[in-house]
Amino acid sequence: MSSAEQQDVVKYWTKDRMRNAIPIESKYSLKLSKSQAQALKKKPMAGSAATQQTPQPRMGKVFFTLGGADYVCSGTATNSTNGSVVTTAGHCVNEGPGAYATKFAFVPAYLNGNAPYGTWTARALVTTNAWKNSGDFNYDVGFAIMNTNGGKTLTGAVGGYPIAFNQARGGSYTAYGYPAASPFNGQTFWSCQGTVMNDTYGGSNDQGLPCNMTGGSSGGGWIKNGNLNSVNSFGYTAIRDVMWGPYFGSTIQSTYTTAANS
C-alpha cells in the first residue's frame, strides 16, 4: 500500500464515519435448534455486567468496509516478529466465506471520537482457512498486518500483548472491547471478567464467558495470565449475556505465525 493509499484510508475514517460505523455482529448471531433452546431452560446462566475501563493503547477499535457498508469491531495490538499485528475476529477481516474487508484501520485507545495514538492502516489481512472457506466459528480469528506510522511499527509505538496457544481450557479471563449496540454507544472501553465454560449448547469448540457486551465488541481480546488467548466471537440468540470465543490451538497459531512474519 502506497503512502497516498494509506492517507486515503486515514482521511476516509472521519470522526463522523467512526461514530456511525455499524457493529458487524448483527450478521453473525447464532440460533440454536429448538431442542437446544429447550435444554437451556434447565441450565442456569450467570451473566456478568461489563465494567467501563480507561482506554489502553494496546487495545482499540477496528474500522473497515464490506459490501459498501462501514463496520466496527475491536482489536488488540499483539507482539510479533514484525511488530505490526492486530488480532481481531475472523469476521472482522473476512465475510467467512466471502470477500476480505477494505479500508481496514485500527485506532488504539479510542475514546469519544478521539485517536490519541493515531489511525493505523492495514497492508494485509489474514484469517484461518476454516473461517475464510466455510465460516467456522471454531476458527473465527483474524490478524491485520499494519503499516508503519511515523516510521514506527504498531507495537513499537503502543506496545502489545504476548499471545498464547494450546493452553489448558477453563480458568479466569478478562475480555475487552468497545460495545456499540444498545445500551452501549461504542465510544467507550469496557471489560468483563469471569470463569469460562465449554460450549455444551451449540456444539462448538469455543469457550463462553459471562458478559453482556454487545455488537462492536467482536474481536476484542481475552486476556488470561497476561496473555492474549481468545477474542470476542459470537453470541447465541437464546443465551443472554454470554460471549463466546474460539480456543487458540495449533491451527490459529499457524495463521498467527504467517501474519507475524509477513
Side-chain angles (χ1 to χ4, degrees):
M1 178 182 281
S2 68
S3 295
E5 290 170 325
Q6 293 176 46
Q7 285 305 307
D8 285 345
V9 174
V10 172
K11 291 176 182 177
Y12 181 83
W13 290 111
T14 62
K15 285 189 176 182
D16 283 344
R17 278 207 173 99
M18 287 181 181
R19 288 182 183 276
N20 294 325
I22 306 166
I24 192 70
E25 286 88 340
S26 59
K27 295 178 62 176
Y28 294 102
S29 290
L30 302 187
K31 291 181 170 59
L32 298 173
S33 68
K34 184 175 180 180
S35 62
Q36 290 169 330
Q38 287 291 328
L40 283 178
K41 296 179 180 179
K42 303 176 183 179
K43 295 179 179 288
M45 303 297 295
S48 172
T51 303
Q52 188 172 342
Q53 303 291 327
T54 300
Q56 56 170 289
R58 293 181 293 176
M59 294 184 173
K61 292 194 76 169
V62 164
F63 300 94
F64 57 96
T65 63
L66 272 173
D70 295 336
Y71 289 105
V72 62
C73 281
S74 301
T76 304
T78 308
N79 291 349
S80 62
T81 303
N82 58 24
S84 301
V85 170
V86 169
T87 303
T88 186
H91 65 265
C92 300
V93 303
N94 181 280
E95 288 181 305
Y100 273 93
T102 59
K103 297 184 176 70
F104 189 101
F106 177 65
V107 180
Y110 175 98
L111 180 64
N112 292 318
N114 295 312
Y117 296 89
T119 299
W120 296 71
T121 62
R123 58 182 172 86
L125 302 175
V126 179
T127 188
T128 61
N129 287 332
W131 175 261
K132 179 177 64 177
N133 295 331
S134 59
D136 185 343
F137 276 91
N138 290 316
Y139 302 98
D140 179 25
V141 181
F143 301 100
I145 303 102
M146 313 307 290
N147 292 298
T148 56
N149 193 341
K152 293 184 177 180
T153 64
L154 175 65
T155 58
V158 304
Y161 275 97
I163 190 168
F165 302 95
N166 297 304
Q167 303 295 293
R169 295 178 69 90
S172 179
Y173 284 76
T174 303
Y176 294 92
Y178 285 84
S182 179
F184 305 94
N185 65 7
Q187 301 308 303
T188 50
F189 184 55
W190 296 76
S191 73
C192 291
Q193 193 278 331
T195 300
V196 298
M197 56 188 144
N198 290 325
D199 183 2
T200 59
Y201 309 104
S204 78
N205 194 44
D206 289 23
Q207 298 183 112
L209 177 70
C211 185
N212 69 338
M213 285 197 288
T214 60
S217 63
S218 261
W222 289 24
I223 307 302
K224 179 183 181 182
N225 298 327
N227 296 308
L228 178 62
N229 195 225
S230 189
V231 297
N232 298 321
S233 175
F234 72 91
Y236 288 114
T237 56
I239 306 175
R240 292 180 58 85
D241 299 341
V242 178
M243 185 76 72
W244 301 88
Y247 176 76
F248 275 19
S250 297
T251 297
I252 292 173
Q253 182 177 18
S254 177
T255 305
Y256 160 77
T257 300
T258 297
N261 291 287
S262 295

